[in-house]
Amino acid sequence: MSPWEDFGREGGLFRRLRADAAADWQAYTWHEFCRRLSDGSLPLVAFQDFLIQDYLFLIQFARAKALAVFKAESLEAMREKTASISAILAETTMHLTYCAEWGIPEAKVRATPESAETVSYTRYVIDRGLAGDILDLEVALAPCTVGYGEVALRILADPARKLQGNPYQSWIEAYGSDSYQKLAREAAARIDALGESHGGHARFPMLTATFGEAARLEQRFWQQGLDAAAS
Amino acid sequence: MSPWEDFGREGGLFRRLRADAAADWQAYTWHEFCRRLSDGSLPLVAFQDFLIQDYLFLIQFARAKALAVFKAESLEAMREKTASISAILAETTMHLTYCAEWGIPEAKVRATPESAETVSYTRYVIDRGLAGDILDLEVALAPCTVGYGEVALRILADPARKLQGNPYQSWIEAYGSDSYQKLAREAAARIDALGESHGGHARFPMLTATFGEAARLEQRFWQQGLDAAAS
Amino acid sequence: MSPWEDFGREGGLFRRLRADAAADWQAYTWHEFCRRLSDGSLPLVAFQDFLIQDYLFLIQFARAKALAVFKAESLEAMREKTASISAILAETTMHLTYCAEWGIPEAKVRATPESAETVSYTRYVIDRGLAGDILDLEVALAPCTVGYGEVALRILADPARKLQGNPYQSWIEAYGSDSYQKLAREAAARIDALGESHGGHARFPMLTATFGEAARLEQRFWQQGLDAAAS
Amino acid sequence: MSPWEDFGREGGLFRRLRADAAADWQAYTWHEFCRRLSDGSLPLVAFQDFLIQDYLFLIQFARAKALAVFKAESLEAMREKTASISAILAETTMHLTYCAEWGIPEAKVRATPESAETVSYTRYVIDRGLAGDILDLEVALAPCTVGYGEVALRILADPARKLQGNPYQSWIEAYGSDSYQKLAREAAARIDALGESHGGHARFPMLTATFGEAARLEQRFWQQGLDAAAS
């Protein structure tokens, strides 16, 4: 078993969702953008475009987590999700510093409008969260949180990975780190747990549609960076 | 089996919810207000107060159904629920006529603010609908739709029912009618069907909490009429 | 003044929004897709792709209108918006017939997933509607309703329009019809009225951001058809 | 000018709302419950009932703040409101300790269902927040935050206040403290600022209806404690 097949537990909802969306999941987590992060060939402008949209993404991601607080069913869950919002909002500030290191002035990041790709995934998540319950919301969010964990593990195991002088090393390390991997594992475990408590298997047709659409929208998110470099 | 135990199907989610909330359900569907509708002893002022709040209730009920359209998972479900909104909005107009027949001028109905009891049940339903999915919403709505059907059947079978000159005969007939009973049966059947497709049995602890709270808030809705008469 | 500059009233919120988003509005309402509908040169596959996504769009549009019912502030507004949902749901059925006339089997329409472009505009509208009030929602919806009215008027006045044997004549007639133009005028008038009652001028910075983003997302919606034909 | 007339600024939206709802505001902020906190005559059981429901209230209040994060229009506002959620969730823990000091075991607090009064105000706030925008939500919340500040100031200035051996001294001090008064002043200032940026004066009819209803529902919240003692 590859290390990235280890998220979630055997027989749990997360693995079932991942398996059912196999083609879309593969196309997302091993997208050309990811492979070129790995071999270091990704054009700088593609990465810069991605970083700016990722900043705009984080703001919407924090809003989705706020919705999760609203929908949480225990004080403990409310506390955990509130801590997530705080962490994401702190990350937006760090992200501006990171963008600056990549030559993108803060003013430019702030002035860029959200792309259709950023809007589509983030608002899809928010809509699933409002139309459905906490499980629908978490299933729409999981491709992001768990998926980035898988992307990092795939890069770390990639024979074509550029080890010396890979310009994207800091990004790879951030998502390959123990702390991020822990977050990703927890997100998959949350899906498994909600799958049990919220009838995930009975609801599988709807949930797999959500998960698959989210994976497709994440592919588009990577693709926009490549398109920016090509244009 | 009493006729009012016939809503929903054996082993279905509706009957399980009703059984689990037995004491609250009984206190709601055979509230003193209902018994006095049946024996004709309900003070006029209690009924008038109820009618006004019921008008305000209908408006919020239509909003809850709009939320159900937003959350519906098929075009067919969207159509059915849109037809429900139209029917409820038409009912508000008829309700004004009915109020006028009971000596309540339209201007008074429109000028009365919602009571805490009206606010509590209606907004509880809306909140459950926003926090949860379509099943949570329907479970919060069911005590109203199915419950009024049960109230009417209990009155129709009540040995103490005043048959001659019962001032509330028109109300009893409206909810005892085939057309209303069909609505109530359909609502219970919807809960059963959603129970299957949306993991209702796995989610029972949360759903029974919702159903029970809704039944308690409905008791308070009846009680406000009696309180109005007592004050 | 061109006929399409006649939506909304002088000094009203709609015209102010349209003027402030002039470049994006022009790029949307006179997109290459529209110009090629006019001169008849649009590839069939582009139009077919558009028709399928337009069907999926309508379903989400009905959901956005359901949200408008939930947010409406009078029974009259609730009735109008409920009638809109019914009309849109009826249109989905007619749309399937129209697709069939264009050689797209119903099964194909139903089996096609929403594109990122369809998701982005529709969920953006829904999110603005949930984050904001009825004015925010209507401002996010207006580029669709009023914009299609403007597109049709621009085509009708286009010197390059192909009059004889234009394959897209039925589409042009549908949106150029008195009945559709009336809908578009009413939508602009609603924005003007809500602008007065809901502080539209004080809220202009936020509203113009919404309107502009919606116009950009509509451009992308047209573009996806051209991209489908190019690929 | 009494010190409690000092919330908000002259000509600002908060003072206008307070003035327009004068009778309901007075009935809420100087309710018999408050007067008896002041003179120390409030029955212990009334205060205990209040404390339990106040705990349940806090949980819903945190959910309403989560909705405010979702609706916030800047990162700064998102951060402030997220800090509010954290503070409220921390308060729930302290509240359990406070309840224990008043002889209410934690298990009893946790096992008590929300009363209709608690449901009505909290869900009304949440519904206004979802139906409207951030201003509608803040206007629905203000009677709580600012109102408790006013209650404390009224008690502190009350000639009938029992100074020696008042059993409710700790409650009076908590809400009369500089830190709470600062919170209350900030909430009023937020209403004033949103009133400017979000067209509050144009929207006054709707906003005053929300503020007045919230004040009436807060009266009911106090009253439930007295009713509990009377029964």
Side-chain angles (χ1 to χ4, degrees):
Chain A
M1 191 167 80
S2 304
W4 53 86
E5 292 172 323
D6 195 39
F7 295 106
R9 62 167 183 67
E10 174 115 29
L13 180 59
F14 179 78
R15 291 202 190 169
R16 194 176 163 200
L17 289 166
R18 187 184 176 283
D20 200 56
D24 280 321
W25 188 256
Q26 167 83 16
Y28 155 45
T29 56
W30 206 225
H31 191 275
E32 184 188 344
F33 189 98
C34 309
R35 293 197 309 269
R36 296 183 71 180
L37 282 169
S38 182
D39 68 16
S41 71
L42 186 73
L44 175 61
V45 68
F47 192 67
Q48 287 173 325
D49 177 85
F50 163 77
L51 285 181
I52 294 174
Q53 293 299 323
D54 204 32
Y55 173 81
L56 299 167
F57 177 91
L58 282 171
I59 298 170
Q60 301 304 320
F61 197 54
R63 294 179 65 226
K65 286 282 178 182
L67 204 53
V69 174
F70 176 74
K71 286 176 167 267
E73 295 168 0
S74 70
L75 276 167
E76 190 190 359
M78 290 176 81
R79 282 193 185 97
E80 276 173 20
K81 288 168 202 310
T82 304
S84 288
I85 308 176
S86 298
I88 295 166
L89 292 174
E91 204 181 328
T92 59
T93 307
M94 292 183 291
H95 202 87
L96 288 173
T97 309
Y98 192 64
C99 285
E101 290 168 10
W102 283 90
I104 318 165
E106 182 171 329
K108 185 177 174 185
V109 180
R110 290 185 187 277
T112 305
E114 289 180 86
S115 69
E117 286 79 6
T118 304
V119 171
S120 62
Y121 180 44
T122 55
R123 301 323 193 279
Y124 180 75
V125 168
I126 286 170
D127 179 35
R128 284 309 304 143
L130 280 154
D133 68 357
I134 186 71
L135 173 57
D136 294 295
L137 176 56
E138 295 275 8
V139 165
L141 282 167
C144 173
T145 312
V146 190
Y148 275 47
E150 176 161 341
V151 168
L153 293 182
R154 282 176 177 272
I155 292 176
L156 292 175
D158 179 22
R161 179 179 169 209
K162 181 173 186 173
L163 287 163
Q164 301 298 324
N166 186 327
Y168 305 114
Q169 184 61 18
S170 63
W171 191 92
I172 295 165
E173 281 170 7
Y175 289 96
S177 68
D178 286 353
S179 62
Y180 189 82
Q181 290 293 317
K182 183 165 175 284
L183 271 185
R185 278 196 306 275
E186 287 169 353
R190 250 192 336 262
I191 299 289
D192 286 348
L194 285 167
E196 296 303 315
S197 60
H198 285 64
H201 295 286
R203 296 160 64 183
F204 193 73
M206 182 56 123
L207 297 173
T208 196
T210 297
F211 192 84
E213 180 72 16
R216 283 189 295 277
L217 295 169
E218 285 275 24
Q219 292 167 37
R220 289 289 298 260
F221 197 83
W222 291 133
Q223 188 60 41
Q224 73 178 324
L226 298 184
D227 293 348
S231 68
Chain B
M1 191 167 77
S2 304
W4 52 86
E5 293 172 323
D6 194 38
F7 294 106
R9 62 168 182 67
E10 174 115 27
L13 180 58
F14 179 77
R15 291 202 190 169
R16 194 173 163 201
L17 290 166
R18 186 183 178 284
D20 201 57
D24 281 320
W25 188 256
Q26 167 83 15
Y28 155 44
T29 56
W30 206 226
H31 191 275
E32 184 187 345
F33 189 98
C34 309
R35 294 196 308 270
R36 297 181 70 181
L37 281 169
S38 182
D39 69 15
S41 72
L42 186 73
L44 174 62
V45 69
F47 192 67
Q48 287 174 325
D49 177 85
F50 162 77
L51 285 181
I52 294 174
Q53 292 299 323
D54 205 30
Y55 173 79
L56 298 168
F57 176 91
L58 282 171
I59 298 170
Q60 301 304 320
F61 197 53
R63 293 181 65 226
K65 286 282 181 184
L67 204 52
V69 175
F70 176 75
K71 286 176 168 270
E73 295 168 1
S74 70
L75 276 167
E76 191 189 358
M78 291 175 80
R79 282 195 184 95
E80 276 173 21
K81 288 167 202 310
T82 304
S84 287
I85 309 174
S86 298
I88 296 166
L89 293 175
E91 203 181 328
T92 59
T93 308
M94 292 183 291
H95 202 89
L96 288 173
T97 309
Y98 193 64
C99 285
E101 289 168 11
W102 282 90
I104 318 165
E106 182 172 329
K108 185 178 175 183
V109 181
R110 291 184 187 277
T112 305
E114 288 179 86
S115 69
E117 286 80 4
T118 304
V119 171
S120 62
Y121 179 44
T122 55
R123 302 322 194 277
Y124 180 75
V125 168
I126 286 171
D127 180 35
R128 284 308 304 140
L130 281 154
D133 68 357
I134 186 71
L135 174 56
D136 294 295
L137 176 56
E138 294 276 8
V139 164
L141 283 167
C144 172
T145 313
V146 189
Y148 274 47
E150 175 160 341
V151 168
L153 293 181
R154 282 177 176 272
I155 292 176
L156 293 174
D158 178 22
R161 178 179 168 209
K162 181 174 189 174
L163 286 163
Q164 301 298 323
N166 186 326
Y168 306 115
Q169 184 62 18
S170 63
W171 190 94
I172 296 164
E173 281 170 7
Y175 290 96
S177 69
D178 287 352
S179 62
Y180 189 81
Q181 290 293 317
K182 183 165 175 285
L183 271 184
R185 278 197 307 275
E186 287 169 353
R190 252 194 331 264
I191 299 289
D192 286 348
L194 285 167
E196 296 302 316
S197 60
H198 285 63
H201 295 286
R203 296 161 63 183
F204 194 73
M206 183 57 122
L207 296 173
T208 196
T210 297
F211 192 84
E213 180 72 17
R216 283 190 294 277
L217 296 169
E218 285 275 24
Q219 291 166 37
R220 290 289 297 262
F221 196 83
W222 291 132
Q223 188 59 40
Q224 74 178 322
L226 298 184
D227 293 348
S231 68
Chain C
M1 190 167 79
S2 303
W4 53 85
E5 293 172 323
D6 194 39
F7 294 106
R9 62 167 182 67
E10 174 115 28
L13 180 59
F14 179 77
R15 292 201 190 170
R16 194 175 162 200
L17 289 166
R18 186 183 177 283
D20 200 55
D24 280 321
W25 188 256
Q26 166 83 16
Y28 155 45
T29 56
W30 205 225
H31 190 276
E32 184 188 344
F33 189 98
C34 309
R35 294 197 308 271
R36 297 182 71 180
L37 281 169
S38 183
D39 69 16
S41 72
L42 187 73
L44 174 62
V45 69
F47 192 67
Q48 287 173 327
D49 177 85
F50 162 77
L51 284 182
I52 294 174
Q53 292 299 323
D54 205 31
Y55 173 80
L56 298 167
F57 176 92
L58 282 171
I59 298 170
Q60 302 303 319
F61 197 53
R63 294 180 66 227
K65 286 283 180 182
L67 204 52
V69 174
F70 176 75
K71 286 176 168 267
E73 295 168 359
S74 70
L75 277 167
E76 190 189 359
M78 291 176 80
R79 283 194 184 97
E80 277 173 20
K81 288 168 203 309
T82 304
S84 288
I85 308 175
S86 298
I88 295 165
L89 292 175
E91 204 181 327
T92 58
T93 308
M94 291 183 291
H95 202 88
L96 287 174
T97 310
Y98 192 63
C99 285
E101 289 169 11
W102 283 91
I104 317 165
E106 182 172 329
K108 184 176 175 185
V109 180
R110 290 184 188 276
T112 305
E114 288 180 87
S115 68
E117 287 79 5
T118 304
V119 171
S120 63
Y121 179 43
T122 54
R123 301 322 193 279
Y124 180 76
V125 168
I126 285 171
D127 180 35
R128 285 308 305 142
L130 281 154
D133 69 357
I134 186 72
L135 174 55
D136 294 295
L137 175 56
E138 294 276 9
V139 165
L141 283 167
C144 173
T145 313
V146 190
Y148 275 48
E150 175 161 341
V151 167
L153 293 182
R154 282 177 176 270
I155 292 175
L156 292 174
D158 178 21
R161 179 180 169 210
K162 180 174 187 173
L163 288 164
Q164 301 298 323
N166 185 327
Y168 306 114
Q169 185 61 17
S170 64
W171 191 92
I172 296 165
E173 281 171 7
Y175 289 97
S177 68
D178 286 353
S179 62
Y180 189 82
Q181 291 292 319
K182 182 165 175 285
L183 272 184
R185 278 197 307 275
E186 287 168 354
R190 252 195 332 264
I191 299 289
D192 286 348
L194 284 168
E196 296 303 316
S197 60
H198 285 63
H201 295 286
R203 296 160 64 183
F204 193 73
M206 182 56 121
L207 297 173
T208 195
T210 297
F211 192 84
E213 180 71 16
R216 282 189 295 277
L217 295 170
E218 285 275 24
Q219 291 167 38
R220 289 289 298 261
F221 196 83
W222 291 133
Q223 188 59 42
Q224 73 178 324
L226 298 184
D227 293 348
S231 66
Chain D
M1 190 168 77
S2 304
W4 53 85
E5 293 172 322
D6 194 37
F7 294 106
R9 61 167 183 68
E10 174 113 30
L13 179 58
F14 179 77
R15 292 202 189 168
R16 194 174 164 201
L17 289 165
R18 186 184 177 283
D20 200 56
D24 281 320
W25 188 257
Q26 167 82 17
Y28 154 45
T29 56
W30 206 225
H31 190 275
E32 184 187 346
F33 189 99
C34 309
R35 294 196 309 269
R36 297 182 70 180
L37 281 169
S38 182
D39 69 15
S41 72
L42 187 72
L44 174 61
V45 69
F47 191 67
Q48 287 173 326
D49 177 85
F50 162 77
L51 284 181
I52 294 174
Q53 292 300 323
D54 205 29
Y55 173 80
L56 299 167
F57 176 91
L58 282 171
I59 298 170
Q60 302 304 320
F61 197 52
R63 293 180 66 226
K65 286 283 179 181
L67 204 53
V69 175
F70 176 75
K71 287 176 168 269
E73 295 168 0
S74 70
L75 276 167
E76 191 189 357
M78 290 175 81
R79 282 194 185 96
E80 276 172 21
K81 287 168 202 310
T82 304
S84 287
I85 308 174
S86 298
I88 295 165
L89 292 175
E91 204 180 327
T92 58
T93 308
M94 292 182 290
H95 202 87
L96 287 174
T97 310
Y98 193 64
C99 284
E101 289 167 11
W102 283 91
I104 317 165
E106 182 172 328
K108 184 177 175 185
V109 181
R110 291 184 187 277
T112 306
E114 289 179 87
S115 69
E117 287 80 3
T118 304
V119 171
S120 63
Y121 179 44
T122 55
R123 301 323 194 277
Y124 180 76
V125 168
I126 285 171
D127 180 36
R128 285 307 305 141
L130 279 154
D133 68 358
I134 186 71
L135 174 55
D136 295 294
L137 175 56
E138 294 276 9
V139 165
L141 283 166
C144 172
T145 312
V146 189
Y148 274 47
E150 176 160 342
V151 168
L153 294 181
R154 283 177 176 271
I155 292 175
L156 291 174
D158 178 21
R161 179 180 168 208
K162 180 174 189 174
L163 286 164
Q164 301 298 323
N166 185 327
Y168 306 114
Q169 184 62 17
S170 63
W171 191 93
I172 296 164
E173 282 170 7
Y175 289 96
S177 68
D178 287 351
S179 62
Y180 188 82
Q181 290 293 317
K182 183 167 175 285
L183 271 184
R185 278 197 306 276
E186 287 169 353
R190 254 196 328 266
I191 299 288
D192 286 349
L194 284 167
E196 296 303 316
S197 60
H198 286 63
H201 295 286
R203 296 160 63 183
F204 193 73
M206 182 57 120
L207 296 172
T208 197
T210 297
F211 192 84
E213 180 72 17
R216 282 189 295 277
L217 295 170
E218 285 275 25
Q219 291 167 38
R220 289 289 297 262
F221 196 83
W222 292 132
Q223 188 59 40
Q224 74 179 323
L226 299 183
D227 293 348
S231 68

